[in-house]
Amino acid sequence: MKNGRVIFLMSSLSMYLLFLGLSCTKENVEEKYFAGSDDAVVHYNTKLKQILTQKCFSCHNYHSSSASKYDTYAKAAGNANEMVRRISSSNPNEVMPVPSANRLTEDEKQAFYQFLEMVEGKKQSATYKVSLLWTAFKFPGFSDRVGVSGTFDEIFILYKNTTADNIYDYLQDAEILINSSSVNIGNDALKNTNLQNHFFKYFTPTIYCKVIDVNPSQGKAMVKITMNGISEQIHFTMKENSEDLIFTGKIEDINSFQAVGALNALQAVCGVHHRNKVWADIILKAEIKNFKKFK
């Protein structure tokens, strides 16, 4: 009987430790990515958050889109460029805070500008710039479907192996953070607005990617993509094209990232233009510029 109690207590303790370990390792990818920017974190917590609390949160906390709630350092860092653009705008329909609200002082504006400068220090260099082209498909009938392509204007990248002596080792374990609200489908304001407000509104404000494996001899790479707290490993083919390195992959089913609500919302405003069909697969094409100039 005594042994039975001991076994029960040990088993309970093990379960508790397991639960505790799982709880502690739950990953907030945005916080993880920006964690290295110590100056920006301090600036947000000691200066910027106070300004946001006094002059912004009264409205932004009621926004249905989490992308425009700057209540954590990661959300503010991921949208630093947009915040500065809005507070500097001369357009009364864009400027923040709105003209009828309590305006920012010049010192408060400077706090936003300084924050952006700190965050920009983590932004990718132009030397090995990464661009991403996605292609979704509309219209019923596989043979008749038509692709619609777009990009993201704000992509942050952190290279981990900065002492690597070749571009492939340099890419290993690199982390990429994409501001989903910076989606850009070209010179079509209505389409961009529909994607931002009726699709990515239902996503977390950032898309997190990590390069898991790069195999130049086989021309393959593996990238973990995380959206809405769900991660999938996506296979990419890799090839050299002049001065650029090109990766091509495919998300087989966007619904695996809990995108049903996003697709339904997009259907509500664009269904007639899609003939009531948007396909679940997404083609991805990433390019790294000037890879042959790697030194």
Side-chain angles (χ1 to χ4, degrees):
M1 193 72 178
K2 182 178 180 181
N3 289 339
R5 286 198 298 271
V6 171
I7 292 172
F8 173 78
L9 289 172
M10 291 295 290
S11 177
S12 300
L13 179 60
S14 298
M15 290 299 292
Y16 172 76
L17 291 174
L18 176 61
F19 173 78
L20 183 63
L22 289 173
S23 300
C24 291
T25 57
K26 185 177 181 181
E27 188 176 69
N28 181 319
V29 294
E30 295 91 349
E31 295 288 358
K32 178 180 181 295
Y33 179 85
F34 284 111
S37 185
D38 295 334
D39 291 343
V41 174
V42 172
H43 185 82
Y44 173 81
N45 287 324
T46 59
K47 294 183 179 180
L48 197 64
K49 193 168 185 178
Q50 182 178 0
I51 300 170
L52 290 166
T53 300
Q54 293 175 348
K55 297 191 174 180
C56 305
F57 284 168
S58 60
C59 290
H60 279 261
N61 280 350
Y62 292 95
H63 284 192
S64 57
S65 172
S66 63
S68 61
K69 294 180 180 179
Y70 310 132
D71 54 345
T72 68
Y73 165 72
K75 292 176 185 176
N79 292 278
N81 205 321
E82 176 67 7
M83 287 195 295
V84 167
R85 186 185 73 82
R86 296 292 290 271
I87 68 170
S88 305
S89 176
S90 59
N91 184 339
N93 295 321
E94 284 194 338
V95 66
M96 289 291 168
V98 296
S100 60
N102 192 3
R103 308 300 297 153
L104 296 176
T105 67
E106 286 304 313
D107 286 344
E108 289 171 337
K109 287 184 177 180
Q110 284 298 321
F112 281 89
Y113 301 150
Q114 291 166 6
F115 183 66
L116 176 61
E117 290 176 2
M118 293 173 181
V119 171
E120 286 283 305
K122 295 183 71 66
K123 209 166 186 178
Q124 61 180 344
S125 68
T127 308
Y128 308 115
K129 183 178 180 180
V130 174
S131 62
L132 175 64
L133 179 74
W134 53 264
T135 300
F137 298 91
K138 62 182 180 179
F139 300 160
F142 187 85
S143 61
D144 298 323
R145 69 182 191 164
V146 173
V148 178
S149 299
T151 60
F152 294 96
D153 291 336
E154 294 185 11
I155 300 178
F156 298 79
I157 185 163
L158 178 64
Y159 292 107
K160 297 296 188 69
N161 298 325
T162 55
T163 59
D165 58 5
N166 65 79
I167 188 65
Y168 301 104
D169 289 342
Y170 190 66
L171 289 172
Q172 184 68 42
D173 298 323
E175 294 178 277
I176 302 164
L177 193 69
I178 301 168
N179 180 359
S180 61
S181 65
S182 73
V183 64
N184 188 337
I185 203 170
N187 297 321
D188 193 317
L190 179 59
K191 289 182 179 179
N192 283 325
T193 298
N194 285 339
L195 279 175
Q196 292 167 1
N197 296 340
H198 301 286
F199 186 78
F200 283 108
K201 169 184 174 180
Y202 292 86
F203 278 71
T204 46
T206 49
I207 301 169
Y208 172 81
C209 308
K210 182 173 183 179
V211 180
I212 302 298
D213 184 56
V214 180
N215 191 326
S217 63
Q218 295 184 7
K220 295 180 179 179
M222 180 80 73
V223 178
K224 182 180 75 172
I225 297 179
T226 302
M227 294 186 285
N228 289 344
I230 298 170
S231 298
E232 280 197 5
Q233 293 189 5
I234 306 298
H235 295 270
F236 283 81
T237 59
M238 179 174 59
K239 69 176 183 179
E240 300 177 4
N241 180 23
S242 185
E243 297 296 316
D244 302 333
L245 195 59
I246 299 176
F247 299 79
T248 304
K250 182 180 182 180
I251 296 176
E252 295 289 348
D253 187 354
I254 192 67
N255 289 311
S256 61
F257 292 99
Q258 295 185 343
V260 175
L263 287 173
N264 288 342
L266 190 64
Q267 169 69 16
V269 294
C270 303
V272 64
H273 304 293
H274 300 158
R275 297 182 197 164
N276 296 318
K277 177 64 176 180
V278 175
W279 294 77
D281 58 316
I282 310 289
I283 302 297
L284 303 174
K285 181 181 178 182
E287 293 187 13
I288 297 180
K289 302 293 185 182
N290 305 317
F291 86 98
K292 286 189 176 179
K293 295 181 181 179
F294 180 86
K295 294 181 180 180

